[in-house]
Amino acid sequence: MKTSQLQVASRKRWMRLIPLVFITYSLAYLDRANYGFGVAGGMGEDLNITAGVSSFLAALFFLGYFFFQVPGAHYAEKKSAKKLIFWSLILWGGLATLTGLATSVGWLYPIRFLLGVVESAVMPAMLVFLSHWFLKEERSRANTFLILGNPVTVLWMSILSGYLLKAFDWRWLFIIEGLPAVLWAFIWYKVVNDRPKDAKWLTPQEKNDMEAVLQAEQAALKPVKNYREAFKSRQVVILSIQYFMWSIGVYGFVMWLPSIIKQASNLDIVATGWLSSGPYLLAVIAMLALSHFSDKTLNRKTFVWAALLVGALAFFGSFMIGTTNFWLSYALLVIAGGAMYAPYGPFFAIIPEILPRNVAGGAMALINSMGALGSFVGAYFVGYLNGLTGGPGASYVFMAGSLLISAVLTLMVKKPVVTAAKSVEVVTS
């Protein structure tokens, strides 16, 4: 195999596919995470939403998100991730826009649930898509650029949403932020190919080289017959519970950070937006750093548990400080947010290294669906605890405990056996 051919193919893949993947997942995250700003910006008052109902609506998205993860991954692997994501973009953009047209709280229940259903296939389909295009030595970074759509979106969304709410109202916030997904769907469908062999922008030699390397990686894995066998694996069970606990902390934080900051600081909605972006700026830096060293060392587990432990300690430190020093407490929240996001790339690189392609997508979907249940618990109980206690202290302890358990469970995962495919020469960007 010619080294230069793989180098050229690698550069083409990173430059063409990663921006598309990043923007697509950014739009998905925009339309799920702006609910917190809608609540802080007057939606609760206009629609007479109580604190308990608001918490349930925030969490209802993740209940819908739970159901179609595995079917989505199966369709993406056997049929087409490209088509699945195309229709998901159109539907979730439309549902997000409908949120801004709701005239009563009754409309929000089906909208939030269906938004979760539509988006449920996107994450596993994207992970399957990336596994078709990127090699083992690249996968943590590729996954990270996908999931960077999460913190980067919340970073600029936090600032933009503050200004939109000040200039218009919460209705226009949802309408304006929902329409781009519908328009982007057609760009995605035009430019993306499911596999290297389908890409007209690769030469025949580059296609053959890429397919040979990917097939060699699959040959090095122990065969697994079906999803049932994969789902019974000790590794998959532990990672599912681990991701459940991790997601409690992440989505309790994402959904309620604007309200927590606004209540604690008494700042206006624009200043709240700027402060809410802080954790996500750190998250971007930390995610890039951890994914780089994870791919360089092929060590996934250490980077995951260490980051989650830092997040747990930061939450607990913020709880101990309480309301006596807002800025120090806020600084610890920034660290907690950055630490929670940092290990996503290494985490989602674990499964494709221990399971073959015929079941890896389904296993990642199962794990992600358990994360959706954790997100439901986090989004609901953090809002509930904040309303019950009149402050965020109890929810900080709740999120800290969840992250600590997640870190311990990560230590129980056996390190994947790294087997080099010697039949081909692997060259990455």
Side-chain angles (χ1 to χ4, degrees), residues 122-200:
V122 176
M123 181 66 169
M126 281 293 197
L127 290 169
V128 168
F129 175 79
L130 291 175
S131 73
H132 292 167
W133 278 97
F134 292 92
L135 314 180
K136 181 168 64 176
E137 289 82 0
E138 305 168 314
R139 211 159 282 147
S140 180
R141 283 171 291 155
N143 291 344
T144 291
F145 279 109
L146 164 66
I147 301 167
L148 271 176
N150 176 324
V152 170
T153 299
V154 181
L155 193 161
W156 63 260
M157 182 204 73
S158 298
I159 298 169
L160 174 64
S161 295
Y163 282 107
L164 286 175
L165 287 168
K166 187 173 183 179
F168 303 104
D169 60 13
W170 64 270
R171 293 187 181 278
W172 279 105
L173 168 73
F174 288 109
I175 293 169
I176 292 171
E177 292 183 351
L179 290 176
V182 178
L183 301 176
W184 181 255
F186 296 93
I187 298 174
W188 166 268
Y189 196 81
K190 178 70 175 177
V191 178
V192 166
N193 303 103
D194 276 305
R195 297 174 184 269
K197 65 182 178 64
D198 303 320
K200 295 180 180 178

Side-chain angles (χ1 to χ4, degrees), residues 291-329:
S291 66
H292 170 77
F293 289 109
S294 174
D295 275 348
K296 189 173 182 178
T297 62
L298 290 180
N299 184 345
R300 314 301 188 189
K301 187 171 79 171
T302 300
F303 291 102
V304 176
W305 74 258
L308 294 177
L309 180 60
V310 169
L313 294 175
F315 267 131
F316 188 72
S318 190
F319 163 73
M320 294 297 293
I321 293 168
T323 59
T324 59
N325 189 326
F326 168 76
W327 291 108
L328 182 56
S329 179

Side-chain angles (χ1 to χ4, degrees), residues 16-44:
R16 187 179 181 95
L17 298 178
I18 291 300
L20 296 169
V21 165
F22 173 82
I23 292 171
T24 302
Y25 196 63
S26 292
L27 292 172
Y29 211 81
L30 170 66
D31 290 336
R32 81 174 67 165
N34 56 10
Y35 175 80
F37 274 94
V39 172
M43 182 168 67

